[in-house]
Amino acid sequence: MAKVVHLYWGYMVAAALIVAWAQQWSLPVIVALSLGVSAYAAFQVPVWCGAVNRDGRTYCRNNAYGVLMGCSKRQHRWQKMKMIVLRSKVGNASRSVFPTAKEKFNGALAVGGLLSAVAAVIVPVFTGG
């Protein structure tokens, strides 16, 4: 049970974030939950590696942690980070970083967490709260 909680704690934090927005919890709590969800999705969620193999047409199916990270092969970690920063071919970068629906969901989770953190800081400025 502890291993499952260790691997998937970010989904529980995402559920808490939804409740926090619905119940209008305090700003620091929403920001902390938002950043936690983004960090989990970017660096810890269990996914496939997705780096381009040497043949140039297939993608690595080794286990990895985080949408931004590669598998245990050092070159794959650098390749995924480089593809995000230096996008020479947007289609290849998107297929590499998000090869399956699970990775696409986790990418949306990471972006949603960041947007939530930004909104939690900006909304009170405009509403005077």
Side-chain angles (χ1 to χ4, degrees), residues 13 16-38 112-121 123-124:
V13 175
L17 178 62
I18 292 169
V19 171
W21 274 107
Q23 301 281 326
Q24 297 180 350
W25 290 1
S26 68
L27 174 68
V29 172
I30 292 175
V31 171
L33 289 172
S34 300
L35 294 176
V37 166
S38 294
L114 286 174
L115 291 176
S116 174
V118 170
V121 172
V123 166

mmCIF file of all heavy atoms in Angstrom, residues 13 16-38 112-121 123-124:
data_model
loop_
_atom_site.group_PDB
_atom_site.id
_atom_site.type_symbol
_atom_site.label_atom_id
_atom_site.label_comp_id
_atom_site.label_asym_id
_atom_site.label_seq_id
_atom_site.Cartn_x
_atom_site.Cartn_y
_atom_site.Cartn_z
ATOM 1 N N VAL A 13 -3.367 14.695 -4.491
ATOM 2 C CA VAL A 13 -3.170 16.139 -4.359
ATOM 3 C C VAL A 13 -4.000 16.879 -5.408
ATOM 4 O O VAL A 13 -4.575 17.935 -5.127
ATOM 5 C CB VAL A 13 -1.667 16.497 -4.467
ATOM 6 C CG1 VAL A 13 -1.455 17.990 -4.467
ATOM 7 C CG2 VAL A 13 -0.897 15.859 -3.327
ATOM 8 N N ALA A 16 -7.447 17.007 -4.131
ATOM 9 C CA ALA A 16 -7.514 18.015 -3.067
ATOM 10 C C ALA A 16 -7.504 19.424 -3.660
ATOM 11 O O ALA A 16 -8.168 20.322 -3.134
ATOM 12 C CB ALA A 16 -6.348 17.831 -2.092
ATOM 13 N N LEU A 17 -6.780 19.621 -4.757
ATOM 14 C CA LEU A 17 -6.742 20.926 -5.409
ATOM 15 C C LEU A 17 -8.111 21.295 -5.975
ATOM 16 O O LEU A 17 -8.553 22.443 -5.853
ATOM 17 C CB LEU A 17 -5.689 20.936 -6.520
ATOM 18 C CG LEU A 17 -5.558 22.218 -7.328
ATOM 19 C CD1 LEU A 17 -5.150 23.383 -6.419
ATOM 20 C CD2 LEU A 17 -4.536 22.036 -8.435
ATOM 21 N N ILE A 18 -8.787 20.324 -6.562
ATOM 22 C CA ILE A 18 -10.138 20.581 -7.079
ATOM 23 C C ILE A 18 -11.074 20.963 -5.940
ATOM 24 O O ILE A 18 -11.850 21.918 -6.048
ATOM 25 C CB ILE A 18 -10.647 19.349 -7.852
ATOM 26 C CG1 ILE A 18 -9.828 19.167 -9.126
ATOM 27 C CG2 ILE A 18 -12.134 19.486 -8.175
ATOM 28 C CD1 ILE A 18 -10.050 17.849 -9.825
ATOM 29 N N VAL A 19 -10.975 20.242 -4.834
ATOM 30 C CA VAL A 19 -11.804 20.567 -3.663
ATOM 31 C C VAL A 19 -11.432 21.939 -3.119
ATOM 32 O O VAL A 19 -12.306 22.723 -2.723
ATOM 33 C CB VAL A 19 -11.651 19.478 -2.576
ATOM 34 C CG1 VAL A 19 -12.313 19.899 -1.271
ATOM 35 C CG2 VAL A 19 -12.217 18.159 -3.058
ATOM 36 N N ALA A 20 -10.144 22.256 -3.110
ATOM 37 C CA ALA A 20 -9.690 23.554 -2.593
ATOM 38 C C ALA A 20 -10.268 24.705 -3.400
ATOM 39 O O ALA A 20 -10.695 25.716 -2.837
ATOM 40 C CB ALA A 20 -8.164 23.613 -2.604
ATOM 41 N N TRP A 21 -10.291 24.567 -4.736
ATOM 42 C CA TRP A 21 -10.888 25.624 -5.567
ATOM 43 C C TRP A 21 -12.400 25.695 -5.350
ATOM 44 O O TRP A 21 -12.977 26.780 -5.283
ATOM 45 C CB TRP A 21 -10.591 25.387 -7.044
ATOM 46 C CG TRP A 21 -9.271 25.952 -7.478
ATOM 47 C CD1 TRP A 21 -8.148 25.252 -7.766
ATOM 48 C CD2 TRP A 21 -8.930 27.326 -7.650
ATOM 49 N NE1 TRP A 21 -7.131 26.106 -8.118
ATOM 50 C CE2 TRP A 21 -7.587 27.388 -8.055
ATOM 51 C CE3 TRP A 21 -9.634 28.517 -7.497
ATOM 52 C CZ2 TRP A 21 -6.934 28.578 -8.318
ATOM 53 C CZ3 TRP A 21 -8.981 29.716 -7.764
ATOM 54 C CH2 TRP A 21 -7.651 29.740 -8.165
ATOM 55 N N ALA A 22 -13.057 24.542 -5.230
ATOM 56 C CA ALA A 22 -14.512 24.525 -5.057
ATOM 57 C C ALA A 22 -14.927 25.097 -3.706
ATOM 58 O O ALA A 22 -15.936 25.802 -3.603
ATOM 59 C CB ALA A 22 -15.040 23.100 -5.203
ATOM 60 N N GLN A 23 -14.149 24.809 -2.666
ATOM 61 C CA GLN A 23 -14.471 25.260 -1.316
ATOM 62 C C GLN A 23 -13.851 26.623 -0.986
ATOM 63 O O GLN A 23 -14.037 27.126 0.108
ATOM 64 C CB GLN A 23 -13.984 24.235 -0.289
ATOM 65 C CG GLN A 23 -14.572 22.858 -0.458
ATOM 66 C CD GLN A 23 -15.958 22.776 0.110
ATOM 67 O OE1 GLN A 23 -16.264 23.416 1.098
ATOM 68 N NE2 GLN A 23 -16.810 22.004 -0.535
ATOM 69 N N GLN A 24 -13.086 27.175 -1.917
ATOM 70 C CA GLN A 24 -12.400 28.465 -1.761
ATOM 71 C C GLN A 24 -11.500 28.485 -0.522
ATOM 72 O O GLN A 24 -11.621 29.334 0.351
ATOM 73 C CB GLN A 24 -13.410 29.606 -1.712
ATOM 74 C CG GLN A 24 -14.185 29.730 -2.995
ATOM 75 C CD GLN A 24 -15.196 30.856 -2.957
ATOM 76 O OE1 GLN A 24 -15.458 31.443 -1.913
ATOM 77 N NE2 GLN A 24 -15.756 31.153 -4.107
ATOM 78 N N TRP A 25 -10.571 27.515 -0.482
ATOM 79 C CA TRP A 25 -9.608 27.470 0.606
ATOM 80 C C TRP A 25 -8.660 28.654 0.479
ATOM 81 O O TRP A 25 -8.673 29.399 -0.490
ATOM 82 C CB TRP A 25 -8.825 26.170 0.571
ATOM 83 C CG TRP A 25 -9.639 24.961 0.940
ATOM 84 C CD1 TRP A 25 -10.953 24.910 1.275
ATOM 85 C CD2 TRP A 25 -9.173 23.614 0.957
ATOM 86 N NE1 TRP A 25 -11.330 23.624 1.515
ATOM 87 C CE2 TRP A 25 -10.268 22.804 1.337
ATOM 88 C CE3 TRP A 25 -7.960 23.013 0.714
ATOM 89 C CZ2 TRP A 25 -10.158 21.421 1.473
ATOM 90 C CZ3 TRP A 25 -7.855 21.638 0.841
ATOM 91 C CH2 TRP A 25 -8.941 20.861 1.223
ATOM 92 N N SER A 26 -7.773 28.814 1.445
ATOM 93 C CA SER A 26 -6.873 29.963 1.463
ATOM 94 C C SER A 26 -5.870 29.905 0.302
ATOM 95 O O SER A 26 -5.543 28.842 -0.218
ATOM 96 C CB SER A 26 -6.119 30.020 2.794
ATOM 97 O OG SER A 26 -5.223 28.933 2.891
ATOM 98 N N LEU A 27 -5.391 31.071 -0.064
ATOM 99 C CA LEU A 27 -4.469 31.219 -1.185
ATOM 100 C C LEU A 27 -3.197 30.380 -1.034
ATOM 101 O O LEU A 27 -2.814 29.689 -1.973
ATOM 102 C CB LEU A 27 -4.123 32.700 -1.370
ATOM 103 C CG LEU A 27 -3.067 33.026 -2.415
ATOM 104 C CD1 LEU A 27 -3.608 32.732 -3.795
ATOM 105 C CD2 LEU A 27 -2.656 34.470 -2.292
ATOM 106 N N PRO A 28 -2.504 30.406 0.108
ATOM 107 C CA PRO A 28 -1.274 29.607 0.212
ATOM 108 C C PRO A 28 -1.510 28.103 0.043
ATOM 109 O O PRO A 28 -0.675 27.407 -0.518
ATOM 110 C CB PRO A 28 -0.752 29.913 1.624
ATOM 111 C CG PRO A 28 -1.373 31.205 1.988
ATOM 112 C CD PRO A 28 -2.691 31.258 1.295
ATOM 113 N N VAL A 29 -2.649 27.609 0.488
ATOM 114 C CA VAL A 29 -2.950 26.188 0.343
ATOM 115 C C VAL A 29 -3.143 25.841 -1.125
ATOM 116 O O VAL A 29 -2.613 24.840 -1.619
ATOM 117 C CB VAL A 29 -4.207 25.810 1.165
ATOM 118 C CG1 VAL A 29 -4.645 24.386 0.867
ATOM 119 C CG2 VAL A 29 -3.949 25.994 2.646
ATOM 120 N N ILE A 30 -3.871 26.680 -1.854
ATOM 121 C CA ILE A 30 -4.105 26.428 -3.276
ATOM 122 C C ILE A 30 -2.802 26.499 -4.063
ATOM 123 O O ILE A 30 -2.549 25.662 -4.938
ATOM 124 C CB ILE A 30 -5.155 27.407 -3.835
ATOM 125 C CG1 ILE A 30 -6.527 27.095 -3.223
ATOM 126 C CG2 ILE A 30 -5.221 27.337 -5.349
ATOM 127 C CD1 ILE A 30 -7.621 28.055 -3.606
ATOM 128 N N VAL A 31 -1.956 27.457 -3.766
ATOM 129 C CA VAL A 31 -0.666 27.575 -4.455
ATOM 130 C C VAL A 31 0.203 26.357 -4.167
ATOM 131 O O VAL A 31 0.807 25.781 -5.071
ATOM 132 C CB VAL A 31 0.049 28.881 -4.064
ATOM 133 C CG1 VAL A 31 1.471 28.903 -4.593
ATOM 134 C CG2 VAL A 31 -0.724 30.078 -4.573
ATOM 135 N N ALA A 32 0.249 25.925 -2.900
ATOM 136 C CA ALA A 32 1.064 24.766 -2.541
ATOM 137 C C ALA A 32 0.555 23.497 -3.238
ATOM 138 O O ALA A 32 1.359 22.711 -3.766
ATOM 139 C CB ALA A 32 1.065 24.579 -1.032
ATOM 140 N N LEU A 33 -0.751 23.299 -3.246
ATOM 141 C CA LEU A 33 -1.318 22.133 -3.929
ATOM 142 C C LEU A 33 -1.048 22.190 -5.430
ATOM 143 O O LEU A 33 -0.721 21.181 -6.057
ATOM 144 C CB LEU A 33 -2.820 22.038 -3.660
ATOM 145 C CG LEU A 33 -3.239 21.646 -2.248
ATOM 146 C CD1 LEU A 33 -4.744 21.779 -2.086
ATOM 147 C CD2 LEU A 33 -2.775 20.251 -1.898
ATOM 148 N N SER A 34 -1.174 23.364 -6.017
ATOM 149 C CA SER A 34 -0.935 23.528 -7.451
ATOM 150 C C SER A 34 0.503 23.195 -7.818
ATOM 151 O O SER A 34 0.764 22.479 -8.796
ATOM 152 C CB SER A 34 -1.249 24.959 -7.883
ATOM 153 O OG SER A 34 -2.579 25.284 -7.615
ATOM 154 N N LEU A 35 1.437 23.705 -7.059
ATOM 155 C CA LEU A 35 2.842 23.425 -7.330
ATOM 156 C C LEU A 35 3.173 21.959 -7.094
ATOM 157 O O LEU A 35 3.979 21.368 -7.818
ATOM 158 C CB LEU A 35 3.732 24.327 -6.485
ATOM 159 C CG LEU A 35 3.646 25.819 -6.834
ATOM 160 C CD1 LEU A 35 4.495 26.637 -5.873
ATOM 161 C CD2 LEU A 35 4.046 26.073 -8.267
ATOM 162 N N GLY A 36 2.533 21.354 -6.096
ATOM 163 C CA GLY A 36 2.726 19.928 -5.842
ATOM 164 C C GLY A 36 2.260 19.079 -7.008
ATOM 165 O O GLY A 36 2.940 18.137 -7.420
ATOM 166 N N VAL A 37 1.101 19.410 -7.563
ATOM 167 C CA VAL A 37 0.569 18.667 -8.709
ATOM 168 C C VAL A 37 1.490 18.823 -9.916
ATOM 169 O O VAL A 37 1.803 17.852 -10.612
ATOM 170 C CB VAL A 37 -0.864 19.145 -9.054
ATOM 171 C CG1 VAL A 37 -1.302 18.646 -10.408
ATOM 172 C CG2 VAL A 37 -1.838 18.697 -7.983
ATOM 173 N N SER A 38 1.955 20.028 -10.164
ATOM 174 C CA SER A 38 2.838 20.263 -11.312
ATOM 175 C C SER A 38 4.160 19.523 -11.155
ATOM 176 O O SER A 38 4.652 18.910 -12.108
ATOM 177 C CB SER A 38 3.096 21.753 -11.479
ATOM 178 O OG SER A 38 1.902 22.391 -11.820
ATOM 179 N N GLY A 112 -2.104 22.174 -15.935
ATOM 180 C CA GLY A 112 -3.232 22.616 -15.112
ATOM 181 C C GLY A 112 -2.795 23.047 -13.728
ATOM 182 O O GLY A 112 -3.302 24.031 -13.182
ATOM 183 N N GLY A 113 -1.848 22.337 -13.150
ATOM 184 C CA GLY A 113 -1.326 22.725 -11.842
ATOM 185 C C GLY A 113 -0.630 24.069 -11.887
ATOM 186 O O GLY A 113 -0.798 24.907 -10.993
ATOM 187 N N LEU A 114 0.165 24.285 -12.941
ATOM 188 C CA LEU A 114 0.829 25.582 -13.077
ATOM 189 C C LEU A 114 -0.168 26.712 -13.299
ATOM 190 O O LEU A 114 -0.043 27.793 -12.715
ATOM 191 C CB LEU A 114 1.837 25.546 -14.224
ATOM 192 C CG LEU A 114 3.118 24.783 -13.940
ATOM 193 C CD1 LEU A 114 3.974 24.701 -15.191
ATOM 194 C CD2 LEU A 114 3.893 25.418 -12.819
ATOM 195 N N LEU A 115 -1.165 26.469 -14.140
ATOM 196 C CA LEU A 115 -2.194 27.487 -14.369
ATOM 197 C C LEU A 115 -2.978 27.772 -13.089
ATOM 198 O O LEU A 115 -3.342 28.917 -12.811
ATOM 199 C CB LEU A 115 -3.139 27.054 -15.486
ATOM 200 C CG LEU A 115 -2.542 27.023 -16.884
ATOM 201 C CD1 LEU A 115 -3.557 26.478 -17.885
ATOM 202 C CD2 LEU A 115 -2.065 28.402 -17.306
ATOM 203 N N SER A 116 -3.216 26.744 -12.309
ATOM 204 C CA SER A 116 -3.910 26.924 -11.041
ATOM 205 C C SER A 116 -3.095 27.785 -10.084
ATOM 206 O O SER A 116 -3.637 28.656 -9.400
ATOM 207 C CB SER A 116 -4.190 25.560 -10.411
ATOM 208 O OG SER A 116 -4.741 25.703 -9.129
ATOM 209 N N ALA A 117 -1.788 27.545 -10.026
ATOM 210 C CA ALA A 117 -0.934 28.353 -9.156
ATOM 211 C C ALA A 117 -0.919 29.816 -9.592
ATOM 212 O O ALA A 117 -1.018 30.728 -8.771
ATOM 213 C CB ALA A 117 0.489 27.792 -9.147
ATOM 214 N N VAL A 118 -0.819 30.033 -10.904
ATOM 215 C CA VAL A 118 -0.830 31.409 -11.422
ATOM 216 C C VAL A 118 -2.169 32.074 -11.130
ATOM 217 O O VAL A 118 -2.225 33.226 -10.680
ATOM 218 C CB VAL A 118 -0.510 31.411 -12.937
ATOM 219 C CG1 VAL A 118 -0.762 32.771 -13.541
ATOM 220 C CG2 VAL A 118 0.925 30.977 -13.163
ATOM 221 N N ALA A 119 -3.263 31.351 -11.360
ATOM 222 C CA ALA A 119 -4.587 31.910 -11.110
ATOM 223 C C ALA A 119 -4.792 32.206 -9.629
ATOM 224 O O ALA A 119 -5.408 33.212 -9.270
ATOM 225 C CB ALA A 119 -5.667 30.950 -11.599
ATOM 226 N N ALA A 120 -4.257 31.352 -8.758
ATOM 227 C CA ALA A 120 -4.407 31.577 -7.320
ATOM 228 C C ALA A 120 -3.698 32.839 -6.870
ATOM 229 O O ALA A 120 -4.105 33.481 -5.909
ATOM 230 C CB ALA A 120 -3.883 30.372 -6.543
ATOM 231 N N VAL A 121 -2.649 33.216 -7.565
ATOM 232 C CA VAL A 121 -1.923 34.441 -7.220
ATOM 233 C C VAL A 121 -2.550 35.659 -7.888
ATOM 234 O O VAL A 121 -2.656 36.729 -7.282
ATOM 235 C CB VAL A 121 -0.432 34.299 -7.619
ATOM 236 C CG1 VAL A 121 0.302 35.598 -7.451
ATOM 237 C CG2 VAL A 121 0.218 33.197 -6.798
ATOM 238 N N VAL A 123 -5.815 36.038 -9.329
ATOM 239 C CA VAL A 123 -7.250 36.307 -9.077
ATOM 240 C C VAL A 123 -7.464 37.245 -7.886
ATOM 241 O O VAL A 123 -8.233 38.199 -7.985
ATOM 242 C CB VAL A 123 -8.030 34.980 -8.925
ATOM 243 C CG1 VAL A 123 -9.409 35.206 -8.347
ATOM 244 C CG2 VAL A 123 -8.127 34.283 -10.259
ATOM 245 N N PRO A 124 -6.793 37.036 -6.737
ATOM 246 C CA PRO A 124 -7.009 37.973 -5.627
ATOM 247 C C PRO A 124 -6.584 39.402 -5.928
ATOM 248 O O PRO A 124 -7.133 40.346 -5.376
ATOM 249 C CB PRO A 124 -6.167 37.389 -4.497
ATOM 250 C CG PRO A 124 -6.021 35.959 -4.824
ATOM 251 C CD PRO A 124 -6.003 35.891 -6.322
#
